[in-house]
C-alpha cells in the first residue's frame, strides 16, 4: 500500500472509533439521571459501595474510625453554563471509557498487518490485555481512589470559617482525572512488555529501582488519599503489585529473547 492508501485506511479506523465513542456519549447524555445521580455523584454519598464496605470492615475489627457516615460538603454550579458543560464533558468521558476496547481494537487492526508473523504471535491477546487492564484501572479509580479522595477533600479545612462548597466543574474534573488516570496507570505491564521487547527495560533494572518505585507509590498514595495508613495501603498495595507483576512480565520476555538468540546462534554454526 502507498502512503496515501495507509492514510485512507487509518482515516476509516479513526472514523469508526470516533463513531462508537459518539454513540456511547449520546447514550450517556440521554441517561443523565442515572449517569449523574448514580455514577458520577456516587462517591459523594455515604451509601456508596466503598463506604458501606468500610463500615462492614469497621464492624469486624470493632473500630468506628473506618466507617464514614457523613460527607460534609455541597456541590453547586457557579457558572450559567456550568451544568450543561459538565453534562457534555461527562458524557464524552464515559463514551471514551466504554468505547475504549473497541477503539483499541480498531487501532490494533491498523498496525497488526505491518508486523512480522513472530511479532503478531508474540503480541497475541494484546487487545484483551490492554482492555482488561484499562477497565480494571477504571474500576480501581472509581471504587477506591475516588471515594477516598472525596472523603479527604470534603473533610479538609484550613479554618472553620471556610465551608466546603465545590463547583460542579471541579468535582467532575477531579473524578474524571482520578478514574482515567488510574486506567492509564494500569497499563504499566503492557508498557513494560514492549519496552522489554526492544531492550530498554530489564527485570534487573526494575529490581534495582524497586526501592525508588516503593517511595514513588507511597508518595502517590499519600497525595491521593487521606493521611491515614489504611487508605494509603489501599492505594499503594495494588500499585506495588502491578509493579511486581511488570517485573515478572519483563523476566519472561527477556528469557524468551535470550532463548531465541541462543537458538539462532546454534543454527548459524
Amino acid at each position: 500500500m502507498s502512503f496515501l492508501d495507509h492514510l485512507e485506511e487509518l482515516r476509516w479506523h479513526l472514523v469508526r472509533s470516533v463513531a462508537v465513542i459518539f454513540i456511547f456519549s449520546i447514550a450517556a447524555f440521554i441517561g443523565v439521571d442515572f449517569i449523574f445521580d448514580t455514577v458520577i455523584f456516587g462517591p459523594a454519598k455515604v451509601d456508596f459501595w466503598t463506604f458501606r464496605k468500610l463500615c462492614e470492615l469497621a464492624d469486624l475489627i470493632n473500630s468506628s474510625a473506618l466507617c464514614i457516615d457523613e460527607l460534609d460538603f455541597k456541590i453547586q454550579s457557579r457558572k450559567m453554563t456550568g451544568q450543561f458543560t459538565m453534562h457534555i464533558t461527562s458524557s464524552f468521558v464515559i463514551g471514551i471509557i466504554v468505547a475504549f476496547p473497541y477503539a483499541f481494537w480498531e487501532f490494533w487492526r491498523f498496525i497488526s498487518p505491518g508486523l512480522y508473523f513472530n511479532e503478531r504471535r508474540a503480541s497475541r491477546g494484546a487487545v484483551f490485555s490492554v482492555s482488561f487492564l484499562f477497565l480494571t484501572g477504571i474500576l480501581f479509580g472509581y471504587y477506591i481512589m475516588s471515594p477516598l479522595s472525596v472523603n479527604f477533600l470534603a473533610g479538609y479545612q484550613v479554618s472553620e470559617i471556610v465551608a466546603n462548597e465545590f463547583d460542579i466543574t471541579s468535582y467532575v474534573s477531579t473524578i474524571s482525572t482520578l478514574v482515567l488516570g488510574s486506567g492509564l496507570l494500569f497499563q504499566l505491564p503492557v508498557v513494560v512488555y514492549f519496552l522489554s521487547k526492544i531492550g530498554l527495560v530489564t527485570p534487573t533494572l526494575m529490581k534495582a529501582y524497586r526501592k525508588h518505585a516503593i517511595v514513588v507509590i507511597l508518595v502517590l498514595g499519600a497525595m491521593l488519599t487521606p493521611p491515614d495508613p489504611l487508605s494509603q495501603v489501599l492505594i499503594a498495595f495494588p500499585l506495588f503489585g502491578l509493579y511486581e507483576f511488570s517485573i515478572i512480565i519483563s523476566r519472561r520476555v527477556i528469557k524468551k529473547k535470550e532463548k531465541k538468540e541462543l537458538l539462532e546462534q546454534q543454527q548459524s554454526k
Side-chain angles (χ1 to χ4, degrees):
M1 295 177 64
S2 66
F3 178 72
L4 292 179
D5 290 333
H6 278 295
L7 288 180
E8 179 67 14
E9 186 72 15
L10 176 61
R11 184 173 73 90
W12 281 109
H13 284 293
L14 291 176
V15 167
R16 286 191 291 267
S17 299
V18 172
V20 172
I21 293 174
F22 187 67
I23 290 172
F24 282 115
S25 297
I26 292 177
F29 188 88
I30 295 174
V32 57
D33 293 336
F34 172 78
I35 293 299
F36 272 89
D37 293 338
T38 304
V39 178
I40 295 178
F41 291 143
K45 300 176 181 179
V46 293
D47 61 348
F48 188 61
W49 181 87
T50 306
F51 297 140
R52 287 190 281 109
K53 294 303 176 182
L54 286 176
C55 286
E56 292 176 6
L57 179 60
D59 292 336
L60 288 176
I61 63 176
N62 197 21
S63 173
S64 61
L66 295 178
C67 190
I68 299 169
D69 53 8
E70 183 182 7
L71 293 172
D72 189 17
F73 71 99
K74 294 181 179 180
I75 300 177
Q76 55 185 333
S77 179
R78 294 186 177 89
K79 297 179 181 179
M80 184 176 294
T81 60
Q83 296 193 55
F84 180 70
T85 301
M86 286 302 100
H87 188 185
I88 295 177
T89 302
S90 60
S91 299
F92 181 66
V93 170
I94 291 175
I96 291 176
I97 292 174
V98 177
F100 178 84
Y102 177 81
F104 183 78
W105 178 67
E106 284 286 354
F107 170 75
W108 188 252
R109 284 180 61 199
F110 174 72
I111 66 172
S112 58
L115 302 177
Y116 292 107
F117 174 75
N118 60 333
E119 292 174 336
R120 288 199 300 269
R121 185 176 59 183
S123 57
R124 187 181 302 163
V127 175
F128 173 79
S129 300
V130 170
S131 301
F132 176 77
L133 289 171
F134 178 77
L135 295 178
T136 302
I138 292 295
L139 293 175
F140 179 76
Y142 180 71
Y143 283 104
I144 303 297
M145 296 177 66
S146 293
L148 293 178
S149 298
V150 167
N151 175 52
F152 170 65
L153 296 173
Y156 187 85
Q157 284 183 299
V158 294
S159 173
E160 294 182 356
I161 299 176
V162 183
N164 283 330
E165 297 179 354
F166 305 136
D167 189 80
I168 186 174
T169 57
S170 176
Y171 176 85
V172 173
S173 298
T174 300
I175 297 297
S176 300
T177 301
L178 289 172
V179 172
L180 287 176
S182 178
L184 295 177
L185 189 63
F186 269 60
Q187 297 301 313
L188 177 63
V190 177
V191 174
V192 170
Y193 174 82
F194 285 104
L195 291 180
S196 298
K197 290 288 289 184
I198 61 178
L200 292 179
V201 171
T202 63
T204 304
L205 180 66
M206 295 189 69
K207 288 180 180 179
Y209 284 92
R210 180 185 279 132
K211 295 181 179 179
H212 300 80
I214 293 175
V215 173
V216 172
I217 289 171
L218 290 175
V219 170
L220 184 63
M223 292 173 59
L224 296 176
T225 62
D228 64 88
L230 178 63
S231 299
Q232 293 180 15
V233 169
L234 288 174
I235 294 291
F237 187 74
L239 296 181
F240 181 71
L242 207 63
Y243 188 84
E244 291 297 319
F245 182 60
S246 299
I247 294 178
I248 295 174
I249 290 177
S250 180
R251 185 187 300 120
R252 292 186 61 183
V253 171
I254 296 300
K255 283 185 177 180
K256 287 184 178 180
K257 189 176 180 181
E258 291 176 350
K259 185 177 180 180
K260 180 181 178 181
E261 291 176 352
L262 180 61
L263 183 62
E264 290 177 350
Q265 289 177 1
Q266 293 175 350
Q267 291 176 348
S268 63
K269 291 181 180 180

